[in-house]
Amino acid sequence: EAIIAALDRVLDEWLLTGILRAGAQKFIRDKIVGCSGTDKDTCVRVRQWLLLRMNKKVWQHGVPHMGLSPDTIPGVRTIPVWPNEEFSWLSAVEDCHQVIVDELLSVRGSGTFQPYRDPPREIVGKEQIPSDGIGIEGVDRGAWNVAYLFLNHKKFEDNCSRFPRTIEAISSVFPRHYTHAFFSALTPNSHILPHHGPSNRMLRVWLPLCGLDGFRLRVGDQIVTPQAGKAFVWDHSFEHEAWHDGDETRIVLIVDIWHPDLTDDEVKFLKTLQNARLKAGRELLEREGNGAIDDTYYGIVERTRGLLTSDDWWVIKAERGEQVVN
């Protein structure tokens, strides 16, 4: 009875109800418990994670600079910046560079971007509190703007319609897409403060697009100086921060993928948990209205739409009589 109660508590944490809960329970019986120790065992890491959560514990990995989170999966490789040789498909991503840059430049002036904001937290510097009072800034100087395509399985239809060839590339080139993709823009003289991503279950793929001169990214204790058109993969569960000292707005395409060490069965189960939380969030919104989610990540994303009334922040060298180098 104690084991069943502990398992039910974990399913409650992910807001699993109805058919989704019944499906998760069957998966646990058949795959996570039933195949344990057999040659059909494809859920070793998720089993370890589930046992930790049933005991109200978090994986104490001891990896320098890597965050501790209830969603961190044990047993997968922990590499701050991955070797490109691990991903044979990265060259196909790089082949899409110019097409994506062309689509990106075509939407300038359309109001596609919005400020990046985080949900409020207890300890925050004064420089991070925006004048509009919506969330908190991720930078202590400069401006960080984003254009969402997908965010945790939510598709931003208006934005996606502006980037048909980018969406085609994401669907066809990136394997096991995490359904999280967006353009990230950083203005000159900006600094993104140190922070961790929520989990190691995904890796972050960057395709640097333009404005990379003077930009650098720290992941753990490694410094990366990205080049336009050269894709790379990193683990954003490691502490990371960024500086942009160039004179042109830096823009990258970010696409998250499931960690390659996770099996398809493990991804299927973890997706079920995520879908349950999203479904519960949508139902809360329908029942309570916007006021119920104002301070959640999703609420802040909705409230920051339309805050950028111009694209003056989008600095392009060509407008200063210089040549744009892509």
Side-chain angles (χ1 to χ4, degrees):
E1 289 184 3
I3 293 174
I4 294 174
L7 180 59
D8 282 341
R9 188 187 66 251
V10 175
L11 299 183
D12 288 343
E13 288 177 358
W14 287 88
L15 307 177
L16 280 153
T17 60
I19 294 175
L20 287 176
R21 191 180 187 99
Q25 291 170 329
K26 184 178 187 304
F27 186 93
I28 292 170
R29 288 194 303 270
D30 295 347
K31 293 285 188 178
I32 295 180
V33 177
C35 293
S36 177
T38 73
D39 58 1
K40 295 182 180 179
D41 191 352
T42 58
C43 295
V44 175
R45 300 165 191 84
V46 163
R47 182 184 302 109
Q48 293 172 342
W49 171 76
L50 192 58
L51 287 171
L52 284 169
R53 298 308 302 138
M54 289 171 65
N55 287 282
K56 300 181 181 180
K57 294 181 179 179
V58 173
W59 182 34
Q60 301 295 316
H61 47 71
V63 179
H65 306 291
M66 185 177 172
L68 293 175
S69 163
D71 294 343
T72 299
I73 305 295
V76 300
R77 285 174 289 173
T78 54
I79 304 172
V81 181
W82 283 61
N84 277 16
E85 293 75 21
E86 292 280 343
F87 309 99
S88 60
W89 44 269
L90 276 182
S91 60
V93 172
E94 294 174 348
D95 290 342
C96 301
H97 172 254
Q98 191 58 53
V99 168
I100 295 174
V101 169
D102 291 343
E103 280 195 330
L104 175 69
L105 295 177
S106 73
V107 307
R108 192 163 180 252
S110 65
T112 303
F113 281 79
Q114 61 189 82
Y116 178 86
R117 301 285 173 79
D118 281 317
R121 54 179 183 265
E122 290 184 7
I123 301 175
V124 62
K126 292 181 179 179
E127 70 278 359
Q128 292 180 258
I129 301 174
S131 58
D132 53 43
I134 302 175
I136 60 173
E137 300 271 14
V139 295
D140 59 1
R141 66 173 187 267
W144 182 9
N145 299 322
V146 292
Y148 291 110
L149 303 173
F150 300 94
L151 180 62
N152 292 336
H153 303 281
K154 173 182 172 59
K155 184 176 182 180
F156 289 69
E157 298 286 354
D158 289 348
N159 286 353
C160 287
S161 68
R162 297 184 176 109
F163 299 97
R165 299 186 71 180
T166 301
I167 299 302
E168 181 183 356
I170 291 172
S171 301
S172 62
V173 178
F174 292 84
R176 300 206 305 181
H177 176 216
Y178 195 78
T179 326
H180 193 172
F182 60 101
F183 293 97
S184 171
L186 198 61
T187 62
N189 194 34
S190 290
H191 173 226
I192 296 177
L193 291 158
H195 63 289
H196 298 87
S199 172
N200 67 338
R201 63 184 60 186
M202 83 288 283
L203 297 180
R204 178 145 287 184
V205 185
W206 267 29
L207 178 61
L209 298 175
C210 53
L212 277 301
D213 288 347
F215 174 78
R216 63 194 188 278
L217 168 73
R218 178 181 67 83
V219 184
D221 59 1
Q222 297 186 37
I223 299 292
V224 183
T225 53
Q227 300 177 40
K230 302 298 182 183
F232 64 101
V233 181
W234 56 286
D235 185 338
H236 83 320
S237 67
F238 283 82
E239 183 185 77
H240 52 281
E241 66 179 316
W243 301 263
H244 186 35
D245 300 321
D247 57 5
E248 182 181 11
T249 298
R250 181 237 63 181
I251 305 181
V252 300
L253 174 66
I254 296 175
V255 179
D256 289 346
I257 59 171
W258 287 94
H259 196 293
D261 289 350
L262 294 172
T263 67
D264 288 343
D265 280 336
E266 289 174 322
V267 169
K268 179 181 178 181
F269 179 71
L270 294 171
K271 275 186 176 179
T272 298
L273 301 186
Q274 289 182 331
N275 287 338
R277 274 190 178 170
L278 291 169
K279 180 175 181 289
R282 286 194 297 268
E283 290 175 349
L284 176 63
L285 178 60
E286 292 171 359
R287 185 171 64 252
E288 305 291 343
N290 286 331
I293 63 166
D294 275 355
D295 286 336
T296 68
Y297 189 68
Y298 299 103
I300 289 169
V301 167
E302 290 301 317
R303 293 171 66 199
T304 52
R305 285 191 179 193
L307 285 184
L308 297 178
T309 57
S310 76
D311 281 342
D312 291 346
W313 56 269
W314 193 333
V315 181
I316 298 177
K317 286 183 180 179
E319 294 177 344
R320 297 175 174 172
E322 303 175 25
Q323 182 180 1
V324 177
V325 179
N326 292 322

